[in-house]
Structure formats: C-alpha cells, structure tokens
Amino acid sequence: MVRKMVEELPWPILIIFALGLGLAPFSPPHLFEKIQMLSRGELVKPVDWFDLVMHGTPWLLIAVKLFVAVRKGPTDHLPK
C-alpha cells in the first residue's frame, strides 16, 4: 500500500517541494542548519524537531521513490 502511494507521487511535484520547502529559507538552507544541530546534539526543542521533519520530508520521499524505482527495475512497468 505504501509502495503504491510512493510510486504514484509525481516526480515534478516532489522536486518542487524539495527545492522549495526542503531548502527554504534559502540563505542558509534550514535543513542544513537542523542537520548540523542534530550532529552536534543541539536539536532539543520540539520546534527544531518539527523543522527537521518538515524540511526533510520532501528529500526523504525522493530517496524512497528513487529506491523503489531502482529496486523495481526498468522493465517491471511494462505490460506482460
């Protein structure tokens, strides 16, 4: 069920969300700040965790969709 939902997500929409929401604000990208905070152990406030999830979700969806597409193979979508 989740695999089918991920497969049906259109690539252009995911890319727009990743570039828009995933990198906003653009100077510096919020996602990179939150990842640095996480690596330093400074991600302690709930709002920081929310920001990490919100800005990271589009990138995570792209990674999952890419994984599913590669795993599925180039000919699995053809009719038999």
Side-chain angles (χ1 to χ4, degrees):
M1 180 170 157
V2 174
R3 179 180 172 177
K4 184 162 177 60
M5 287 173 42
V6 168
E7 288 175 350
E8 291 177 358
L9 287 171
W11 279 107
I13 298 296
L14 286 177
I15 292 169
I16 289 169
F17 275 126
L19 294 177
L21 179 64
L23 295 178
F26 299 106
S27 179
H30 221 44
L31 180 60
F32 297 149
E33 288 181 333
K34 297 304 174 184
I35 291 172
Q36 288 174 346
M37 288 174 68
L38 180 64
S39 69
R40 292 189 305 253
E42 298 172 355
L43 202 67
V44 292
K45 297 180 192 171
V47 70
D48 292 332
W49 283 101
F50 174 77
D51 274 350
L52 178 64
V53 170
M54 183 178 68
H55 293 284
T57 298
W59 295 102
L60 180 64
L61 286 173
I62 285 177
V64 170
K65 185 168 176 75
L66 186 61
F67 175 77
V68 167
V70 168
R71 190 158 184 240
K72 189 174 183 182
T75 59
D76 285 349
H77 67 281
L78 299 174
K80 296 184 180 188

